[in-house]
Amino acid sequence: VQQRNDSQMDKISDKYGFIVVYPAGTGKMEDRFLTFNAGICCGYARKNNIDDVVFTSFLLEELKNFLNIDEKRVYATGFSNGAFMCYRLAVELSDRIAAIAPVSGVLGMNPQKYKPKRPISVIHFHGLKDKFVIFEGGIGEKSFEKIPRMSVPETIKYFVKWNGCPEKPKIIRKGKAVCKIYGPGKKNSEVVLWILEDGGHTWPGGKSTLPISMVGKINTDICASELIWEFFEKHPME
């Protein structure tokens, strides 16, 4: 429910005609504080070793029974814990997921142990004023779990290298939103990083279920949901 409200992705799926699905995580309660096990993050799902990669695989199989799914165009996006989960799917389920779009999260899997099976395109959004998952890595002052995280630059560098993208990006700016574009890499893969100079732990161009006083400002120079679909449409499974 929170992801649906904050991303406003229903409007984008209605506009462009794609299927959007909002899976729920697990927790002690049925309707709140639900999490996904994304390796280093988060909460109940991580502590109880819930296999959310298998859950995602089963979900995709189940959806095929009811919907006309193009299996070359299955994508993952998510916010915060959901963004960490996107990265886990990128390295463990790259044979099913064509591209990912994490917002306010980083790679939470050991890059030496887990590697994608193929080049996988990434578009990442992150606020410089995020105090939960801080851009520079480490432990955010507002983080619920005091566990050091990888930095955004380290995460991006890993996928730039894995995809064989040029190390020097093309840079564009829209107000306080700076975009670094790395590519093309192997099999037309691409890595894109949107840095929101005024953004907190929020969805750019979206809404926030949590109070702004807690999570920080929402950048309105871009609409992440629009940019995500534009990126996904360009990157089907090769």
Side-chain angles (χ1 to χ4, degrees):
V1 173
Q2 182 178 358
Q3 176 69 6
R4 192 174 193 175
N5 174 78
D6 292 3
S7 69
Q8 297 286 294
M9 194 63 83
D10 284 10
K11 294 178 181 178
I12 310 301
S13 72
D14 289 346
K15 181 177 178 181
Y16 295 105
F18 63 88
I19 300 158
V20 59
V21 180
Y22 304 93
T26 52
K28 292 182 179 179
M29 292 182 277
E30 290 186 3
D31 61 346
R32 63 192 65 200
F33 305 119
L34 306 180
T35 60
F36 296 105
N37 178 10
I40 202 170
C41 170
C42 293
Y44 178 94
R46 178 184 65 82
K47 291 173 184 174
N48 289 275
N49 200 29
I50 303 298
D51 195 334
D52 281 314
V53 176
V54 168
F55 164 66
T56 303
S57 296
F58 275 117
L59 175 64
L60 294 176
E61 288 300 313
E62 184 74 4
L63 290 169
K64 282 162 55 178
N65 293 326
F66 302 98
L67 300 167
N68 184 20
I69 305 289
D70 181 348
E71 293 188 63
K72 295 291 185 182
R73 292 185 176 274
V74 176
Y75 307 97
T77 184
F79 173 70
S80 192
N81 177 204
F84 280 88
M85 190 63 208
C86 286
Y87 278 119
R88 182 171 187 187
L89 294 176
V91 298
E92 290 197 56
L93 207 63
S94 62
D95 57 336
R96 303 288 299 272
I97 304 295
I100 62 167
V103 181
S104 299
V106 291
L107 179 63
M109 307 298 292
N110 184 341
Q112 304 304 318
K113 184 178 179 182
Y114 297 94
K115 296 182 185 298
K117 295 178 181 177
R118 46 172 280 274
I120 185 162
S121 294
V122 178
I123 182 169
H124 182 121
F125 300 80
H126 218 104
L128 289 183
K129 301 195 177 196
D130 189 330
K131 294 183 179 180
F132 290 83
V133 184
I134 52 178
F135 190 87
E136 299 82 7
I139 302 173
E141 65 178 85
K142 290 190 176 182
S143 176
F144 294 120
E145 296 181 318
K146 303 305 177 185
I147 301 171
R149 314 290 193 198
M150 187 182 288
S151 72
V152 174
E154 286 175 306
T155 298
I156 295 301
K157 184 178 180 180
Y158 171 83
F159 283 93
V160 167
K161 184 177 180 180
W162 179 258
N163 290 340
C165 294
E167 292 183 10
K168 188 174 181 181
K170 174 186 174 184
I171 300 176
I172 60 174
R173 173 183 283 274
K174 289 188 177 182
K176 292 188 176 181
V178 178
C179 181
K180 295 184 176 183
I181 304 169
Y182 302 86
K186 297 172 186 174
K187 296 195 173 181
N188 295 313
S189 59
E190 190 177 26
V191 178
V192 176
L193 171 61
W194 279 98
I195 302 170
L196 299 317
E197 295 175 337
D198 60 343
H201 195 62
T202 50
W203 190 278
K207 297 184 178 182
S208 181
T209 306
L210 299 171
I212 298 300
S213 59
M214 177 184 178
V215 295
K217 186 177 178 181
I218 299 171
N219 175 276
T220 56
D221 293 313
I222 61 171
C223 174
S225 295
E226 281 271 4
L227 290 168
I228 287 167
W229 174 246
E230 181 182 301
F231 184 82
F232 283 170
E233 197 171 30
K234 284 168 52 182
H235 295 287
M237 186 85 73
E238 290 284 341

